[in-house]
Amino acid sequence: MKVIQVDHYKQMSEKASDMLFESIKGEKNLVLGLATGGTPVKTYEILTTRINSEKVDMSTVQTINLDEYIGLDAKHLNSYHQYMEDHFFKHVPISPDQTHLPNGVANDLDAECKRYEELIDTIGGVDIQLLGIGSNGHIGFNEPGTPFHETTHVVELAKSTREANARFFSSDEEVPTHAITMGIATIMKSKQVVLLASGKSKADALKQLIEGEVTESCPATVLQNHPNLMIIADHEALSKLSKSTLEQIEANNYISST
Ligand code: GLP
């Protein structure tokens, strides 16, 4: 695992967008795994500006998102479809047939999960998967206790996740109770994982991820087993790491898997 420590949210966003930009510019047929939430908002903003100012060709890029709420259609203000439109897709030269998210209003949700998992394989697997992290250690919507072998599936959201995401909705009751998410096994198939974290509320989860034991009760810890994981996190998010881990990160931006 590689850990890049930055000073603050903006710097995290700049580093992440640089990385994504170079891949979009340099790799043909790139499959980009995308995340939602508050964390990557600025990353998408900076990335959008760079793509447009350098007139980058995105015609061979495919994007595939981690998750979608069940019960919200693509046009719903709080759907992740709409989030991606607002923060990225509508600002860059990419067409709807190049972008993929699970359908949260599919009649047959199990069939939808299967379709999504197969789609990922059909387009060649994810090259770079962008991730945020929940304060309870969830990735995508894989809540604590999710078996590591799960592929794309339906989840019931944890109370803490619904509370954390209520800030995007006009009332707590509107926050969906379920979602479709890529599973842990799906995420682990990605060739590279880039996880972003900013702020104190992520410090416990990051400590677990970097220093803790690998356990299904903190889903993000599985990433210790990923051969190509990069974490870009600010001081606050890394503030609970032990002194020796921090020294190692500061010395070379890198610590090996635990
Ligand atoms: C959400 C998303 C995750 C996201 C996480 C953290 O529930 N499903 O993909 O990484 O929670 O969100 P935020 O970046 O807003 O803290």
Side-chain angles (χ1 to χ4, degrees), residues 27-234:
E27 277 175 51
K28 256 198 152 339
N29 305 318
L30 180 74
V31 178
L32 211 48
L34 298 176
T36 52
T39 307
V41 167
K42 189 117 197 117
T43 300
Y44 292 134
E45 186 190 313
I46 301 171
L47 185 59
T48 296
T49 306
R50 291 199 65 191
I51 287 170
N52 290 321
S53 66
E54 297 192 32
K55 298 198 174 17
V56 170
D57 175 19
M58 292 185 73
S59 61
T60 69
V61 174
Q62 301 264 351
T63 71
I64 185 114
N65 265 76
L66 280 169
D67 45 17
E68 178 57 287
Y69 289 114
I70 289 177
L72 304 193
D73 67 39
K75 295 273 172 244
H76 190 286
L77 204 65
N78 295 112
S79 72
Y80 285 162
H81 279 79
Q82 197 56 45
Y83 171 105
M84 291 309 305
E85 274 305 305
D86 292 345
H87 293 289
F88 193 43
F89 298 156
K90 78 173 177 202
H91 307 291
V92 294
I94 197 161
S95 63
D97 62 338
Q98 292 170 262
T99 66
H100 313 282
L101 288 98
N103 176 6
V105 290
N107 285 331
D108 183 340
L109 292 168
D110 288 338
E112 174 59 9
C113 293
K114 196 162 172 283
R115 177 196 73 84
Y116 204 66
E117 194 68 28
E118 284 169 3
L119 171 70
I120 296 169
D121 292 336
T122 308
I123 60 178
V126 175
D127 292 306
I128 304 176
Q129 179 64 57
L130 192 63
L131 289 183
I133 185 168
S135 45
N136 64 359
H138 75 243
I139 48 175
F141 269 134
N142 292 283
E143 298 287 17
T146 307
F148 287 162
H149 62 78
E150 287 262 31
T151 55
T152 301
H153 63 290
V154 171
V155 283
E156 180 171 6
L157 303 180
K159 191 166 170 275
S160 62
T161 301
R162 293 187 69 225
E163 284 165 0
N165 289 0
R167 68 192 195 277
F168 299 113
F169 292 80
S170 40
S171 72
D172 294 1
E173 295 70 46
E174 279 181 44
V175 186
T177 55
H178 291 76
I180 296 182
T181 183
M182 279 188 199
I184 300 279
T186 323
I187 293 170
M188 290 298 278
K189 277 193 301 196
S190 313
K191 295 173 194 97
Q192 183 177 12
V193 173
V194 178
L195 183 140
L196 309 182
S198 169
K200 279 200 184 92
S201 64
K202 304 296 169 73
D204 285 316
L206 269 210
K207 183 177 172 61
Q208 271 276 108
L209 159 55
I210 297 171
E211 294 179 336
E213 61 161 324
V214 177
T215 163
E216 288 176 353
S217 62
C218 181
T221 57
V222 75
L223 297 172
Q224 287 180 21
N225 296 333
H226 195 283
N228 194 357
L229 167 67
M230 182 193 290
I231 297 172
I232 309 175
D234 63 15

